CSV table of all heavy atoms in Angstrom, one decimal:
chain,number,residue,atom,x,y,z
J,127,MET,N,-27.7,98.6,-103.2
J,127,MET,CA,-26.9,98.3,-102.0
J,127,MET,C,-26.7,99.6,-101.3
J,127,MET,O,-26.7,100.7,-101.8
J,127,MET,CB,-25.6,97.7,-102.4
J,127,MET,CG,-25.7,96.4,-103.1
J,127,MET,SD,-24.0,95.7,-103.5
J,127,MET,CE,-23.6,95.1,-101.9
J,128,THR,N,-26.5,99.5,-100.0
J,128,THR,CA,-26.3,100.7,-99.2
J,128,THR,C,-25.0,100.4,-98.3
J,128,THR,O,-24.6,99.3,-98.1
J,128,THR,CB,-27.4,101.0,-98.2
J,128,THR,OG1,-27.7,99.8,-97.4
J,128,THR,CG2,-28.7,101.2,-99.0
J,129,TRP,N,-24.5,101.5,-97.8
J,129,TRP,CA,-23.3,101.4,-96.9
J,129,TRP,C,-23.8,101.6,-95.5
J,129,TRP,O,-24.6,102.5,-95.2
J,129,TRP,CB,-22.3,102.4,-97.2
J,129,TRP,CG,-21.7,102.3,-98.6
J,129,TRP,CD1,-22.0,101.4,-99.5
J,129,TRP,CD2,-20.8,103.2,-99.2
J,129,TRP,NE1,-21.3,101.6,-100.7
J,129,TRP,CE2,-20.5,102.7,-100.5
J,129,TRP,CE3,-20.2,104.4,-98.8
J,129,TRP,CZ2,-19.7,103.4,-101.4
J,129,TRP,CZ3,-19.3,105.0,-99.6
J,129,TRP,CH2,-19.0,104.5,-100.9
J,130,LYS,N,-23.3,100.8,-94.5
J,130,LYS,CA,-23.7,101.1,-93.1
J,130,LYS,C,-23.1,102.4,-92.7
J,130,LYS,O,-23.8,103.1,-91.9
J,130,LYS,CB,-23.1,99.9,-92.2
J,130,LYS,CG,-23.9,98.6,-92.5
J,130,LYS,CD,-23.4,97.6,-91.6
J,130,LYS,CE,-24.1,96.3,-91.9
J,130,LYS,NZ,-23.8,95.2,-91.0
J,131,THR,N,-21.9,102.8,-93.1
J,131,THR,CA,-21.3,104.1,-92.8
J,131,THR,C,-20.8,104.7,-94.0
J,131,THR,O,-20.0,104.2,-94.7
J,131,THR,CB,-20.2,103.9,-91.8
J,131,THR,OG1,-20.6,103.2,-90.6
J,131,THR,CG2,-19.6,105.2,-91.4
J,132,TYR,N,-21.4,105.8,-94.4
J,132,TYR,CA,-21.0,106.5,-95.6
J,132,TYR,C,-20.0,107.6,-95.3
J,132,TYR,O,-20.1,108.3,-94.3
J,132,TYR,CB,-22.2,107.3,-96.2
J,132,TYR,CG,-21.8,108.1,-97.4
J,132,TYR,CD1,-21.7,107.6,-98.6
J,132,TYR,CD2,-21.6,109.5,-97.2
J,132,TYR,CE1,-21.3,108.4,-99.7
J,132,TYR,CE2,-21.3,110.3,-98.2
J,132,TYR,CZ,-21.1,109.8,-99.5
J,132,TYR,OH,-20.8,110.6,-100.5
J,133,THR,N,-18.9,107.6,-96.1
J,133,THR,CA,-18.0,108.7,-96.0
J,133,THR,C,-17.7,109.2,-97.4
J,133,THR,O,-17.7,108.5,-98.4
J,133,THR,CB,-16.6,108.3,-95.3
J,133,THR,OG1,-16.0,107.4,-96.2
J,133,THR,CG2,-16.8,107.7,-94.0
J,134,GLU,N,-17.4,110.5,-97.5
J,134,GLU,CA,-17.1,111.1,-98.8
J,134,GLU,C,-15.8,110.5,-99.3
J,134,GLU,O,-15.7,110.3,-100.5
J,134,GLU,CB,-17.0,112.6,-98.7
J,134,GLU,CG,-18.3,113.3,-98.5
J,134,GLU,CD,-18.2,114.8,-98.4
J,134,GLU,OE1,-17.0,115.3,-98.6
J,134,GLU,OE2,-19.2,115.5,-98.3
J,135,GLU,N,-14.8,110.2,-98.5
J,135,GLU,CA,-13.6,109.6,-98.9
J,135,GLU,C,-13.8,108.3,-99.5
J,135,GLU,O,-13.2,108.0,-100.6
J,135,GLU,CB,-12.6,109.5,-97.7
J,135,GLU,CG,-12.1,110.8,-97.2
J,135,GLU,CD,-13.2,111.5,-96.3
J,135,GLU,OE1,-14.0,110.8,-95.7
J,135,GLU,OE2,-13.1,112.8,-96.2
J,136,ALA,N,-14.6,107.4,-98.9
J,136,ALA,CA,-14.9,106.1,-99.5
J,136,ALA,C,-15.6,106.2,-100.8
J,136,ALA,O,-15.3,105.5,-101.8
J,136,ALA,CB,-15.7,105.3,-98.5
J,137,HIS,N,-16.6,107.2,-100.9
J,137,HIS,CA,-17.3,107.4,-102.2
J,137,HIS,C,-16.3,107.8,-103.3
J,137,HIS,O,-16.4,107.4,-104.4
J,137,HIS,CB,-18.4,108.4,-102.0
J,137,HIS,CG,-19.5,108.3,-103.0
J,137,HIS,ND1,-20.6,109.0,-102.9
J,137,HIS,CD2,-19.7,107.5,-104.1
J,137,HIS,CE1,-21.4,108.7,-103.9
J,137,HIS,NE2,-20.9,107.8,-104.6
J,138,LYS,N,-15.4,108.7,-103.0
J,138,LYS,CA,-14.4,109.2,-103.9
J,138,LYS,C,-13.5,108.0,-104.4
J,138,LYS,O,-13.2,107.9,-105.6
J,138,LYS,CB,-13.6,110.3,-103.4
J,138,LYS,CG,-14.3,111.6,-103.3
J,138,LYS,CD,-13.3,112.7,-102.9
J,138,LYS,CE,-13.5,113.2,-101.5
J,138,LYS,NZ,-12.6,114.3,-101.1
J,139,ALA,N,-13.2,107.2,-103.5
J,139,ALA,CA,-12.3,106.0,-103.8
J,139,ALA,C,-13.0,105.1,-104.8
J,139,ALA,O,-12.4,104.6,-105.7
J,139,ALA,CB,-11.9,105.3,-102.5
J,140,VAL,N,-14.3,104.8,-104.5
J,140,VAL,CA,-15.1,104.0,-105.4
J,140,VAL,C,-15.2,104.6,-106.8
J,140,VAL,O,-15.0,104.0,-107.8
J,140,VAL,CB,-16.5,103.7,-104.8
J,140,VAL,CG1,-17.3,103.0,-105.9
J,140,VAL,CG2,-16.3,102.8,-103.6
J,141,ALA,N,-15.5,105.9,-106.8
J,141,ALA,CA,-15.6,106.6,-108.1
J,141,ALA,C,-14.3,106.6,-108.8
J,141,ALA,O,-14.3,106.4,-110.1
J,141,ALA,CB,-16.0,108.1,-107.8
J,142,ASN,N,-13.2,106.7,-108.1
J,142,ASN,CA,-11.9,106.6,-108.8
J,142,ASN,C,-11.6,105.3,-109.4
J,142,ASN,O,-11.0,105.2,-110.5
J,142,ASN,CB,-10.7,106.9,-107.8
J,142,ASN,CG,-9.4,107.0,-108.5
J,142,ASN,OD1,-8.7,106.0,-108.6
J,142,ASN,ND2,-9.0,108.2,-108.9
J,143,MET,N,-12.1,104.2,-108.8
J,143,MET,CA,-12.0,102.9,-109.4
J,143,MET,C,-12.7,102.8,-110.8
J,143,MET,O,-12.3,102.0,-111.6
J,143,MET,CB,-12.5,101.8,-108.5
J,143,MET,CG,-11.6,101.5,-107.3
J,143,MET,SD,-12.0,100.0,-106.4
J,143,MET,CE,-13.8,100.1,-106.2
J,144,TYR,N,-13.8,103.5,-111.0
J,144,TYR,CA,-14.5,103.5,-112.2
J,144,TYR,C,-13.6,103.9,-113.4
J,144,TYR,O,-13.8,103.4,-114.5
J,144,TYR,CB,-15.7,104.5,-112.2
J,144,TYR,CG,-16.8,104.1,-111.3
J,144,TYR,CD1,-17.7,105.1,-110.9
J,144,TYR,CD2,-16.9,102.8,-110.7
J,144,TYR,CE1,-18.7,104.8,-110.0
J,144,TYR,CE2,-18.0,102.5,-109.9
J,144,TYR,CZ,-18.8,103.5,-109.5
J,144,TYR,OH,-19.9,103.2,-108.6
J,145,ILE,N,-12.6,104.7,-113.1
J,145,ILE,CA,-11.7,105.1,-114.2
J,145,ILE,C,-10.3,104.5,-114.1
J,145,ILE,O,-9.6,104.5,-115.1
J,145,ILE,CB,-11.6,106.7,-114.3
J,145,ILE,CG1,-11.1,107.3,-113.0
J,145,ILE,CG2,-13.0,107.3,-114.7
J,145,ILE,CD1,-10.8,108.8,-113.1
J,146,SER,N,-9.9,104.1,-113.0
J,146,SER,CA,-8.5,103.6,-112.8
J,146,SER,C,-8.4,102.1,-112.9
J,146,SER,O,-7.3,101.6,-113.3
J,146,SER,CB,-7.9,104.1,-111.5
J,146,SER,OG,-8.6,103.5,-110.4
J,147,ASP,N,-9.4,101.4,-112.7
J,147,ASP,CA,-9.4,99.9,-112.8
J,147,ASP,C,-10.1,99.5,-114.1
J,147,ASP,O,-11.3,99.8,-114.3
J,147,ASP,CB,-10.1,99.3,-111.6
J,147,ASP,CG,-10.0,97.8,-111.6
J,147,ASP,OD1,-10.3,97.1,-112.6
J,147,ASP,OD2,-9.7,97.2,-110.5
J,148,GLU,N,-9.3,98.9,-115.0
J,148,GLU,CA,-9.9,98.6,-116.4
J,148,GLU,C,-11.1,97.7,-116.3
J,148,GLU,O,-12.0,97.8,-117.2
J,148,GLU,CB,-8.8,97.9,-117.2
J,148,GLU,CG,-7.8,98.9,-117.8
J,148,GLU,CD,-8.4,100.0,-118.7
J,148,GLU,OE1,-9.3,99.6,-119.5
J,148,GLU,OE2,-8.1,101.2,-118.5
J,149,ARG,N,-11.2,96.9,-115.3
J,149,ARG,CA,-12.4,96.0,-115.2
J,149,ARG,C,-13.7,96.9,-115.0
J,149,ARG,O,-14.7,96.7,-115.6
J,149,ARG,CB,-12.3,95.0,-114.1
J,149,ARG,CG,-11.1,94.0,-114.3
J,149,ARG,CD,-10.8,93.3,-113.0
J,149,ARG,NE,-10.4,94.2,-112.0
J,149,ARG,CZ,-10.1,93.8,-110.8
J,149,ARG,NH1,-10.2,92.6,-110.4
J,149,ARG,NH2,-9.6,94.7,-109.9
J,150,PHE,N,-13.6,97.9,-114.1
J,150,PHE,CA,-14.7,98.8,-113.9
J,150,PHE,C,-15.0,99.6,-115.1
J,150,PHE,O,-16.1,99.8,-115.6
J,150,PHE,CB,-14.5,99.7,-112.7
J,150,PHE,CG,-14.7,99.0,-111.4
J,150,PHE,CD1,-13.6,98.5,-110.7
J,150,PHE,CD2,-15.9,99.0,-110.8
J,150,PHE,CE1,-13.8,97.9,-109.5
J,150,PHE,CE2,-16.1,98.4,-109.5
J,150,PHE,CZ,-15.0,97.8,-108.9
J,151,LYS,N,-13.9,100.2,-115.7
J,151,LYS,CA,-14.0,101.0,-116.9
J,151,LYS,C,-14.7,100.3,-118.0
J,151,LYS,O,-15.6,100.8,-118.6
J,151,LYS,CB,-12.6,101.5,-117.3
J,151,LYS,CG,-12.7,102.6,-118.3
J,151,LYS,CD,-11.3,103.2,-118.6
J,151,LYS,CE,-11.2,104.3,-119.6
J,151,LYS,NZ,-12.2,104.3,-120.6
J,152,MET,N,-14.3,99.1,-118.3
J,152,MET,CA,-14.9,98.3,-119.3
J,152,MET,C,-16.3,98.0,-119.1
J,152,MET,O,-17.2,98.0,-120.0
J,152,MET,CB,-14.1,97.0,-119.5
J,152,MET,CG,-12.7,97.1,-120.2
J,152,MET,SD,-11.7,95.7,-120.3
J,152,MET,CE,-12.9,94.4,-120.6
J,153,TYR,N,-16.7,97.7,-117.8
J,153,TYR,CA,-18.1,97.4,-117.5
J,153,TYR,C,-18.9,98.7,-117.7
J,153,TYR,O,-20.0,98.5,-118.4
J,153,TYR,CB,-18.2,97.0,-116.0
J,153,TYR,CG,-19.6,96.9,-115.5
J,153,TYR,CD1,-20.3,95.7,-115.8
J,153,TYR,CD2,-20.2,97.9,-114.8
J,153,TYR,CE1,-21.6,95.5,-115.3
J,153,TYR,CE2,-21.6,97.7,-114.4
J,153,TYR,CZ,-22.2,96.5,-114.7
J,153,TYR,OH,-23.5,96.4,-114.2
J,154,TYR,N,-18.5,99.8,-117.3
J,154,TYR,CA,-19.4,101.0,-117.4
J,154,TYR,C,-19.3,101.6,-118.9
J,154,TYR,O,-20.3,102.2,-119.3
J,154,TYR,CB,-19.0,102.1,-116.4
J,154,TYR,CG,-19.4,101.8,-115.0
J,154,TYR,CD1,-18.5,101.3,-114.1
J,154,TYR,CD2,-20.8,101.9,-114.7
J,154,TYR,CE1,-19.0,101.0,-112.8
J,154,TYR,CE2,-21.2,101.5,-113.4
J,154,TYR,CZ,-20.3,101.1,-112.5
J,154,TYR,OH,-20.8,100.7,-111.2
J,155,ASP,N,-18.3,101.3,-119.6
J,155,ASP,CA,-18.1,101.9,-120.9
J,155,ASP,C,-18.6,100.9,-122.0
J,155,ASP,O,-18.6,101.2,-123.2
J,155,ASP,CB,-16.7,102.3,-121.2
J,155,ASP,CG,-16.2,103.5,-120.5
J,155,ASP,OD1,-17.1,104.2,-119.9
J,155,ASP,OD2,-15.0,103.8,-120.6
J,156,ARG,N,-19.1,99.7,-121.6
J,156,ARG,CA,-19.4,98.7,-122.6
J,156,ARG,C,-20.5,99.1,-123.6
J,156,ARG,O,-20.5,98.8,-124.7
J,156,ARG,CB,-19.7,97.4,-121.9
J,156,ARG,CG,-21.1,97.3,-121.3
J,156,ARG,CD,-21.2,96.0,-120.5
J,156,ARG,NE,-22.5,95.9,-119.9
J,156,ARG,CZ,-23.0,96.5,-118.8
J,156,ARG,NH1,-22.1,97.3,-118.2
J,156,ARG,NH2,-24.2,96.3,-118.3
J,157,LYS,N,-21.5,99.8,-123.1
J,157,LYS,CA,-22.6,100.3,-124.0
J,157,LYS,C,-22.6,101.8,-124.3
J,157,LYS,O,-23.1,102.2,-125.3
J,157,LYS,CB,-23.9,99.9,-123.4
J,157,LYS,CG,-24.2,98.4,-123.3
J,157,LYS,CD,-25.6,98.1,-122.9
J,157,LYS,CE,-25.7,96.6,-122.8
J,157,LYS,NZ,-27.1,96.2,-122.4
J,158,VAL,N,-22.0,102.5,-123.3
J,158,VAL,CA,-21.9,104.0,-123.5
J,158,VAL,C,-20.4,104.4,-123.3
J,158,VAL,O,-20.0,104.6,-122.1
J,158,VAL,CB,-22.8,104.7,-122.5
J,158,VAL,CG1,-22.7,106.2,-122.7
J,158,VAL,CG2,-24.3,104.2,-122.6
J,159,PRO,N,-19.7,104.6,-124.4
J,159,PRO,CA,-18.3,105.0,-124.2
J,159,PRO,C,-18.2,106.3,-123.4
J,159,PRO,O,-19.0,107.3,-123.6
J,159,PRO,CB,-17.8,105.2,-125.7
J,159,PRO,CG,-18.7,104.3,-126.5
J,159,PRO,CD,-20.1,104.4,-125.8
J,160,GLY,N,-17.3,106.4,-122.5
J,160,GLY,CA,-17.1,107.6,-121.6
J,160,GLY,C,-18.0,107.6,-120.4
J,160,GLY,O,-17.9,108.5,-119.6
J,161,CYS,N,-18.8,106.6,-120.2
J,161,CYS,CA,-19.7,106.5,-119.0
J,161,CYS,C,-18.9,106.5,-117.7
J,161,CYS,O,-19.3,107.2,-116.8
J,161,CYS,CB,-20.6,105.3,-119.1
J,161,CYS,SG,-21.8,105.2,-117.8
J,162,ALA,N,-17.8,105.7,-117.7
J,162,ALA,CA,-17.1,105.6,-116.4
J,162,ALA,C,-16.5,107.0,-116.0
J,162,ALA,O,-16.6,107.4,-114.9
J,162,ALA,CB,-15.9,104.6,-116.6
J,163,GLN,N,-16.0,107.7,-117.0
J,163,GLN,CA,-15.5,109.1,-116.7
J,163,GLN,C,-16.6,110.0,-116.3
J,163,GLN,O,-16.4,110.8,-115.3
J,163,GLN,CB,-14.8,109.6,-118.0
J,163,GLN,CG,-14.1,111.0,-117.8
J,163,GLN,CD,-12.9,110.9,-116.9
J,163,GLN,OE1,-12.1,109.9,-117.1
J,163,GLN,NE2,-12.7,111.9,-116.1
J,164,PHE,N,-17.8,109.9,-116.9
J,164,PHE,CA,-18.9,110.7,-116.6
J,164,PHE,C,-19.3,110.4,-115.1
J,164,PHE,O,-19.6,111.4,-114.3
J,164,PHE,CB,-20.1,110.4,-117.5
J,164,PHE,CG,-21.3,111.1,-117.1
J,164,PHE,CD1,-21.5,112.5,-117.4
J,164,PHE,CD2,-22.3,110.5,-116.4
J,164,PHE,CE1,-22.7,113.1,-117.1
J,164,PHE,CE2,-23.5,111.1,-116.0
J,164,PHE,CZ,-23.7,112.5,-116.3
J,165,LEU,N,-19.4,109.2,-114.7
J,165,LEU,CA,-19.8,108.8,-113.4
J,165,LEU,C,-18.8,109.3,-112.3
J,165,LEU,O,-19.2,109.9,-111.3
J,165,LEU,CB,-20.0,107.3,-113.2
J,165,LEU,CG,-21.2,106.7,-113.9
J,165,LEU,CD1,-21.1,105.2,-113.9
J,165,LEU,CD2,-22.5,107.2,-113.3
J,166,GLU,N,-17.6,109.2,-112.6
J,166,GLU,CA,-16.5,109.6,-111.7
J,166,GLU,C,-16.6,111.1,-111.5
J,166,GLU,O,-16.6,111.6,-110.4
J,166,GLU,CB,-15.1,109.2,-112.3
J,166,GLU,CG,-14.0,109.5,-111.3
J,166,GLU,CD,-13.4,110.8,-111.4
J,166,GLU,OE1,-13.6,111.5,-112.4
J,166,GLU,OE2,-12.7,111.3,-110.4
J,167,LYS,N,-16.8,111.9,-112.6
J,167,LYS,CA,-16.9,113.3,-112.5
J,167,LYS,C,-18.2,113.7,-111.8
J,167,LYS,O,-18.2,114.7,-111.0
J,167,LYS,CB,-16.9,114.0,-113.9
J,167,LYS,CG,-15.5,114.0,-114.5
J,167,LYS,CD,-15.5,114.7,-115.8
J,167,LYS,CE,-14.1,114.8,-116.4
J,167,LYS,NZ,-14.2,115.5,-117.7
J,168,ALA,N,-19.3,113.0,-112.0
J,168,ALA,CA,-20.5,113.4,-111.4
J,168,ALA,C,-20.4,113.2,-109.9
J,168,ALA,O,-20.9,114.0,-109.1
J,168,ALA,CB,-21.6,112.5,-111.9
J,169,ILE,N,-19.8,112.1,-109.4
J,169,ILE,CA,-19.6,111.8,-108.0
J,169,ILE,C,-18.8,112.9,-107.4
J,169,ILE,O,-19.1,113.4,-106.3
J,169,ILE,CB,-19.1,110.4,-107.8
J,169,ILE,CG1,-20.2,109.4,-108.2
J,169,ILE,CG2,-18.7,110.2,-106.3
J,169,ILE,CD1,-19.7,108.0,-108.3
J,170,ARG,N,-17.6,113.2,-108.0
J,170,ARG,CA,-16.7,114.2,-107.5
J,170,ARG,C,-17.4,115.6,-107.4
J,170,ARG,O,-17.3,116.3,-106.4
J,170,ARG,CB,-15.5,114.4,-108.4
J,170,ARG,CG,-14.2,114.1,-107.8
J,170,ARG,CD,-13.0,114.3,-108.6
J,170,ARG,NE,-13.1,114.0,-110.0
J,170,ARG,CZ,-12.9,114.8,-111.0
J,170,ARG,NH1,-12.6,116.0,-110.8
J,170,ARG,NH2,-13.0,114.4,-112.3
J,171,ASN,N,-18.3,115.9,-108.4
J,171,ASN,CA,-19.0,117.2,-108.3
J,171,ASN,C,-20.0,117.2,-107.2
J,171,ASN,O,-20.2,118.1,-106.5
J,171,ASN,CB,-19.7,117.4,-109.7
J,171,ASN,CG,-20.3,118.8,-109.7
J,171,ASN,OD1,-19.7,119.8,-109.4
J,171,ASN,ND2,-21.6,118.8,-110.1
J,172,LYS,N,-20.7,116.0,-107.0
J,172,LYS,CA,-21.8,115.9,-106.0
J,172,LYS,C,-21.2,116.1,-104.6
J,172,LYS,O,-21.9,116.7,-103.8
J,172,LYS,CB,-22.5,114.6,-106.1
J,172,LYS,CG,-23.5,114.3,-105.1
J,172,LYS,CD,-24.7,115.2,-105.2
J,172,LYS,CE,-25.7,114.9,-104.2
J,172,LYS,NZ,-26.7,115.9,-104.0
J,173,ILE,N,-20.0,115.6,-104.4
J,173,ILE,CA,-19.5,115.7,-103.0
J,173,ILE,C,-18.5,117.0,-102.9
J,173,ILE,O,-17.8,117.1,-101.9
J,173,ILE,CB,-18.8,114.5,-102.6
J,173,ILE,CG1,-17.7,114.0,-103.5
J,173,ILE,CG2,-19.8,113.4,-102.4
J,173,ILE,CD1,-17.0,112.7,-103.1
J,174,GLY,N,-18.6,117.8,-103.9
J,174,GLY,CA,-18.0,119.2,-103.7
J,174,GLY,C,-16.5,119.3,-104.0
J,174,GLY,O,-15.9,120.1,-103.5
J,175,GLU,N,-16.0,118.5,-104.9
J,175,GLU,CA,-14.6,118.6,-105.3
J,175,GLU,C,-14.4,119.3,-106.5
J,175,GLU,O,-15.2,119.3,-107.4
J,175,GLU,CB,-14.0,117.2,-105.4
J,175,GLU,CG,-12.5,117.2,-105.4
J,175,GLU,CD,-11.9,115.9,-105.2
J,175,GLU,OE1,-12.1,115.3,-104.2
J,175,GLU,OE2,-11.3,115.4,-106.2
């Protein structure tokens, strides 16, 4: 999927959902524990935070 308009703020918000919303966290961590946290940190690092 792609976004018609990309913003760093929107990307950060989505990344934050990976760790703050249990539904996302459970989805990403189901096979690899800690995956949600890894993805959130990777996105934050990529956009320079």
Side-chain angles (χ1 to χ4, degrees):
M127 297 185 76
T128 61
W129 299 358
K130 290 183 180 186
T131 304
Y132 172 82
T133 66
E134 289 183 1
E135 293 78 23
H137 202 175
K138 285 190 253 183
V140 170
N142 184 271
M143 285 193 312
Y144 295 161
I145 59 171
S146 64
D147 186 311
E148 282 301 312
R149 297 168 295 178
F150 283 93
K151 189 173 182 332
M152 286 174 38
Y153 175 81
Y154 286 105
D155 287 353
R156 74 187 184 283
K157 292 186 180 179
V158 180
C161 184
Q163 184 72 37
F164 174 83
L165 288 171
E166 189 271 340
K167 285 183 178 181
I169 292 168
R170 242 185 318 125
N171 185 53
K172 175 67 178 167
I173 56 181
E175 193 168 297

